[in-house]
Protein backbone atom coordinates (compact mmCIF):
# COMPACT_ATOMS: atom_id res chain seq x y z
CA UNK A 1 0.00 0.00 0.00
CA UNK A 2 1.41 3.43 -0.91
CA UNK A 3 2.43 5.59 2.01
CA UNK A 4 3.77 9.01 2.85
CA UNK A 5 7.40 8.98 3.93
CA UNK A 6 9.35 11.61 5.85
CA UNK A 7 13.04 12.20 6.50
CA UNK A 8 14.75 12.52 8.84
CA UNK A 9 12.85 10.81 11.63
CA UNK A 10 14.60 13.00 14.19
CA UNK A 11 16.40 16.31 13.68
CA UNK A 12 18.34 18.13 16.37
CA UNK A 13 19.42 21.70 15.66
CA UNK A 14 20.68 24.80 17.41
CA UNK A 15 18.44 27.81 17.85
CA UNK A 16 18.77 30.17 14.90
CA UNK A 17 19.76 27.47 12.43
CA UNK A 18 17.81 26.63 9.29
CA UNK A 19 16.20 23.22 8.93
CA UNK A 20 14.55 21.50 6.01
CA UNK A 21 12.11 18.69 6.65
CA UNK A 22 11.44 16.41 3.74
CA UNK A 23 8.39 14.47 2.68
CA UNK A 24 7.56 12.19 -0.20
CA UNK A 25 3.78 12.21 -0.65
CA UNK A 26 1.82 9.38 -2.25
CA UNK A 27 2.66 9.51 -5.94
CA UNK A 28 -0.69 10.36 -7.53
CA UNK A 29 -1.76 12.82 -4.83
CA UNK A 30 -2.19 16.48 -5.66
CA UNK A 31 -2.76 18.13 -2.27
CA UNK A 32 -0.03 18.38 0.34
CA UNK A 33 -0.08 19.48 3.96
CA UNK A 34 2.13 20.11 6.95
CA UNK A 35 0.89 19.78 10.50
CA UNK A 36 2.77 19.90 13.78
CA UNK A 37 2.25 18.53 17.25
CA UNK A 38 4.04 20.09 20.19
CA UNK A 39 4.63 17.46 22.88
CA UNK A 40 1.46 16.82 24.81
CA UNK A 41 -0.66 19.11 22.67
CA UNK A 42 -3.04 18.74 19.76
CA UNK A 43 -2.07 18.33 16.13
CA UNK A 44 -2.19 21.75 14.46
CA UNK A 45 -2.53 22.65 10.81
CA UNK A 46 0.34 24.66 9.33
CA UNK A 47 -0.15 24.88 5.58
CA UNK A 48 -1.77 23.31 2.55
CA UNK A 49 -0.24 23.30 -0.93
CA UNK A 50 -1.77 22.66 -4.32
CA UNK A 51 -0.71 23.36 -7.88
CA UNK A 52 2.65 24.71 -6.74
CA UNK A 53 1.26 27.31 -4.43
CA UNK A 54 0.03 27.68 -0.88
CA UNK A 55 -3.75 27.34 -0.72
CA UNK A 56 -4.17 28.00 3.00
CA UNK A 57 -1.91 28.68 5.97
CA UNK A 58 -2.43 29.11 9.68
CA UNK A 59 -1.23 31.94 11.89
CA UNK A 60 1.62 29.69 13.01
CA UNK A 61 3.01 29.67 9.47
CA UNK A 62 4.80 33.01 9.58
CA UNK A 63 7.66 34.37 7.47
CA UNK A 64 10.08 31.94 9.08
CA UNK A 65 8.34 29.04 7.35
CA UNK A 66 8.25 28.14 3.69
CA UNK A 67 7.22 25.15 1.63
CA UNK A 68 8.40 23.92 -1.70
CA UNK A 69 7.86 21.11 -4.14
CA UNK A 70 11.30 21.13 -5.75
CA UNK A 71 10.66 18.16 -8.05
CA UNK A 72 7.89 15.73 -8.88
CA UNK A 73 8.20 13.72 -5.71
CA UNK A 74 9.44 15.76 -2.73
CA UNK A 75 7.58 18.28 -0.59
CA UNK A 76 9.68 20.25 1.89
CA UNK A 77 9.11 22.47 4.88
CA UNK A 78 11.86 24.98 5.66
CA UNK A 79 12.22 26.85 8.91
CA UNK A 80 14.67 29.69 8.32
CA UNK A 81 15.77 30.52 11.86
CA UNK A 82 14.57 27.99 14.38
CA UNK A 83 13.30 28.95 17.82
CA UNK A 84 13.01 26.81 20.92
CA UNK A 85 9.23 26.81 20.51
CA UNK A 86 9.56 25.18 17.07
CA UNK A 87 10.41 21.92 18.83
CA UNK A 88 7.62 19.56 17.83
CA UNK A 89 6.68 16.57 15.73
CA UNK A 90 6.05 17.68 12.16
CA UNK A 91 3.69 15.60 10.05
CA UNK A 92 3.36 15.69 6.30
CA UNK A 93 0.11 14.55 4.70
CA UNK A 94 -1.24 14.19 1.19
CA UNK A 95 -4.57 13.60 -0.48
CA UNK A 96 -5.71 12.80 -3.99
CA UNK A 97 -8.33 15.52 -4.09
CA UNK A 98 -9.47 18.49 -2.02
CA UNK A 99 -12.08 16.54 -0.09
CA UNK A 100 -10.34 13.15 -0.11
CA UNK A 101 -8.80 11.44 2.88
CA UNK A 102 -5.49 12.85 4.05
CA UNK A 103 -2.79 10.25 4.59
CA UNK A 104 -0.11 11.09 7.12
CA UNK A 105 3.58 10.30 7.23
CA UNK A 106 5.33 9.01 10.38
CA UNK A 107 6.57 12.46 11.30
CA UNK A 108 9.89 14.21 11.94
CA UNK A 109 10.69 15.03 15.52
CA UNK A 110 12.44 18.42 15.56
CA UNK A 111 14.38 19.34 18.67
CA UNK A 112 15.71 22.89 18.90
CA UNK A 113 18.41 23.43 21.54
CA UNK B 1 -13.92 27.97 11.54
CA UNK B 2 -14.25 24.62 13.24
CA UNK B 3 -13.29 23.28 16.65
CA UNK B 4 -13.21 19.84 18.22
CA UNK B 5 -13.56 18.90 21.86
CA UNK B 6 -12.40 15.61 23.30
CA UNK B 7 -13.30 15.92 26.95
CA UNK B 8 -11.51 12.76 28.11
CA UNK B 9 -7.73 12.92 28.01
CA UNK B 10 -7.48 9.31 29.16
CA UNK B 11 -9.95 6.45 29.27
CA UNK B 12 -8.92 3.40 31.28
CA UNK B 13 -10.87 0.23 30.54
CA UNK B 14 -10.50 -3.48 31.15
CA UNK B 15 -9.92 -5.88 28.29
CA UNK B 16 -13.12 -7.15 26.63
CA UNK B 17 -15.15 -4.29 28.12
CA UNK B 18 -17.00 -1.79 25.90
CA UNK B 19 -15.62 1.70 25.45
CA UNK B 20 -16.78 5.06 24.16
CA UNK B 21 -14.44 7.94 23.31
CA UNK B 22 -16.31 11.18 23.12
CA UNK B 23 -15.96 13.83 20.43
CA UNK B 24 -17.98 17.01 19.99
CA UNK B 25 -17.45 19.59 17.32
CA UNK B 26 -18.60 23.05 16.38
CA UNK B 27 -18.82 24.47 12.90
CA UNK B 28 -20.78 27.05 10.97
CA UNK B 29 -20.63 24.93 7.80
CA UNK B 30 -21.22 21.33 6.84
CA UNK B 31 -18.40 19.09 7.97
CA UNK B 32 -16.69 15.80 7.42
CA UNK B 33 -15.60 13.92 10.54
CA UNK B 34 -12.67 11.61 11.17
CA UNK B 35 -11.08 9.46 13.81
CA UNK B 36 -7.34 8.92 13.58
CA UNK B 37 -5.22 6.65 15.76
CA UNK B 38 -1.61 7.48 16.59
CA UNK B 39 0.59 4.45 17.07
CA UNK B 40 3.79 4.90 19.12
CA UNK B 41 6.49 6.64 17.10
CA UNK B 42 4.29 6.59 14.04
CA UNK B 43 2.08 8.99 12.22
CA UNK B 44 -1.65 9.26 12.28
CA UNK B 45 -3.59 6.41 10.75
CA UNK B 46 -7.16 6.94 9.60
CA UNK B 47 -9.52 4.74 11.60
CA UNK B 48 -12.85 5.77 10.10
CA UNK B 49 -14.61 8.74 8.55
CA UNK B 50 -18.04 10.22 7.98
CA UNK B 51 -18.55 12.10 4.72
CA UNK B 52 -22.22 11.58 3.93
CA UNK B 53 -24.90 8.90 3.84
CA UNK B 54 -25.34 6.50 6.76
CA UNK B 55 -24.56 8.21 10.04
CA UNK B 56 -23.02 5.02 11.45
CA UNK B 57 -19.58 4.22 10.10
CA UNK B 58 -17.40 1.26 10.94
CA UNK B 59 -13.73 0.36 10.79
CA UNK B 60 -12.26 -3.01 9.91
CA UNK B 61 -11.07 -3.65 13.46
CA UNK B 62 -14.41 -3.36 15.22
CA UNK B 63 -14.63 0.35 15.99
CA UNK B 64 -17.67 2.35 15.00
CA UNK B 65 -18.72 5.98 15.24
CA UNK B 66 -22.06 7.67 14.80
CA UNK B 67 -22.54 11.16 13.43
CA UNK B 68 -25.19 13.00 15.42
CA UNK B 69 -25.88 16.35 13.84
CA UNK B 70 -28.30 17.57 16.49
CA UNK B 71 -25.79 16.89 19.27
CA UNK B 72 -22.79 17.82 17.09
CA UNK B 73 -21.07 14.62 18.17
CA UNK B 74 -19.06 11.83 16.59
CA UNK B 75 -18.35 9.44 19.45
CA UNK B 76 -16.15 6.41 18.85
CA UNK B 77 -17.24 3.08 20.28
CA UNK B 78 -16.08 -0.49 20.46
CA UNK B 79 -18.14 -3.26 22.10
CA UNK B 80 -15.10 -5.26 23.30
CA UNK B 81 -11.59 -3.83 23.46
CA UNK B 82 -8.26 -5.63 23.23
CA UNK B 83 -4.93 -4.83 24.82
CA UNK B 84 -3.69 -3.93 21.35
CA UNK B 85 -6.23 -1.10 21.13
CA UNK B 86 -4.14 0.88 23.62
CA UNK B 87 -3.20 4.03 21.68
CA UNK B 88 -3.94 7.73 21.31
CA UNK B 89 -7.12 8.52 19.39
CA UNK B 90 -7.76 11.85 17.71
CA UNK B 91 -11.07 13.17 16.46
CA UNK B 92 -10.84 15.64 13.57
CA UNK B 93 -13.20 17.77 11.53
CA UNK B 94 -12.93 19.39 8.15
CA UNK B 95 -15.29 21.79 6.41
CA UNK B 96 -16.97 20.15 3.44
CA UNK B 97 -15.47 22.73 1.09
CA UNK B 98 -12.15 23.15 2.82
CA UNK B 99 -9.08 21.01 3.18
CA UNK B 100 -7.42 21.59 6.54
CA UNK B 101 -8.15 19.21 9.39
CA UNK B 102 -8.85 20.55 12.85
CA UNK B 103 -7.96 18.07 15.56
CA UNK B 104 -9.07 17.54 19.11
CA UNK B 105 -6.58 17.17 21.94
CA UNK B 106 -6.69 13.39 21.78
CA UNK B 107 -7.82 10.62 24.11
CA UNK B 108 -5.47 7.95 25.35
CA UNK B 109 -7.26 4.61 25.50
CA UNK B 110 -5.55 2.46 28.14
CA UNK B 111 -6.70 -1.15 28.06
CA UNK B 112 -5.83 -3.21 31.13
CA UNK B 113 -5.80 -7.02 31.36
Amino acid sequence: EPEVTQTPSHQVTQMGQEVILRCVPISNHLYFYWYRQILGQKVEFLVSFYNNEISEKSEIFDDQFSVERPDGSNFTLKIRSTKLEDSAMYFCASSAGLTDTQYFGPGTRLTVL
Amino acid sequence: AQSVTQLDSQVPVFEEAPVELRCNYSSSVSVYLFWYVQYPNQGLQLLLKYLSGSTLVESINGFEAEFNKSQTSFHLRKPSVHISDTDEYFCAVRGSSGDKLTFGTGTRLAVRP
Side-chain angles (χ1 to χ4, degrees):
Chain A
E1 186 177 323
E3 58 184 19
V4 177
T5 59
Q6 291 185 243
T7 54
S9 57
H10 192 187
Q11 173 93 46
V12 181
T13 189
Q14 295 290 325
M15 190 169 56
Q17 295 296 303
E18 175 184 286
V19 294
I20 297 176
L21 310 183
R22 302 181 192 280
C23 168
V24 179
I26 294 173
S27 63
N28 62 343
H29 284 188
L30 301 176
Y31 293 80
F32 314 111
Y33 311 87
W34 284 101
Y35 293 80
R36 79 170 186 191
Q37 183 183 27
I38 295 172
L39 189 63
Q41 298 185 26
K42 67 169 71 176
V43 177
E44 301 172 291
F45 168 79
L46 291 178
V47 66
S48 58
F49 190 86
Y50 168 72
N51 201 25
N52 280 320
E53 59 183 31
I54 291 173
S55 48
E56 188 173 356
K57 60 183 180 180
S58 71
E59 62 275 9
I60 303 168
F61 195 89
D62 61 23
D63 292 343
Q64 293 299 312
F65 291 88
S66 62
V67 288
E68 193 179 28
R69 188 155 163 81
D71 52 44
S73 60
N74 289 283
F75 179 52
T76 62
L77 174 70
K78 182 194 291 186
I79 309 175
R80 268 181 261 285
S81 177
T82 50
K83 309 183 189 73
L84 295 176
E85 55 265 37
D86 293 328
S87 294
M89 182 74 92
Y90 287 80
F91 294 107
C92 173
S94 70
S95 64
L98 178 64
T99 57
D100 289 325
T101 299
Q102 292 179 26
Y103 292 88
F104 285 75
T108 292
R109 179 163 295 286
L110 176 65
T111 302
V112 183
L113 302 175
Chain B
Q2 293 90 37
S3 68
V4 177
T5 301
Q6 292 181 252
L7 286 173
D8 305 308
S9 60
Q10 181 159 322
V11 173
V13 63
F14 287 106
E15 194 174 19
E16 297 182 6
V19 71
E20 179 179 82
L21 306 185
R22 295 181 293 168
C23 172
N24 288 89
Y25 70 93
S26 67
S27 176
S28 56
V29 299
S30 298
V31 295
Y32 299 143
L33 292 151
F34 306 83
W35 275 98
Y36 281 85
V37 56
Q38 186 172 31
Y39 301 117
N41 300 316
Q42 294 186 40
L44 298 159
Q45 304 285 326
L46 179 68
L47 189 59
L48 44 75
K49 61 185 177 184
Y50 170 77
L51 303 181
S52 63
S54 173
T55 57
L56 183 66
V57 290
E58 299 176 351
S59 72
I60 58 173
N61 55 355
F63 283 95
E64 65 179 31
E66 185 158 22
F67 171 55
N68 188 319
K69 189 174 182 180
S70 63
Q71 296 186 8
T72 60
S73 68
F74 191 56
H75 301 330
L76 181 70
R77 295 189 292 262
K78 189 169 185 179
S80 177
V81 294
H82 302 128
I83 295 285
S84 59
D85 292 325
T86 296
D87 280 305
E88 188 93 17
Y89 292 81
F90 290 91
C91 182
V93 65
R94 193 180 77 210
S96 57
S97 59
D99 54 1
K100 72 175 186 183
L101 288 167
T102 299
F103 285 86
T105 50
T107 298
R108 168 151 287 281
L109 175 61
V111 182
R112 302 168 179 173

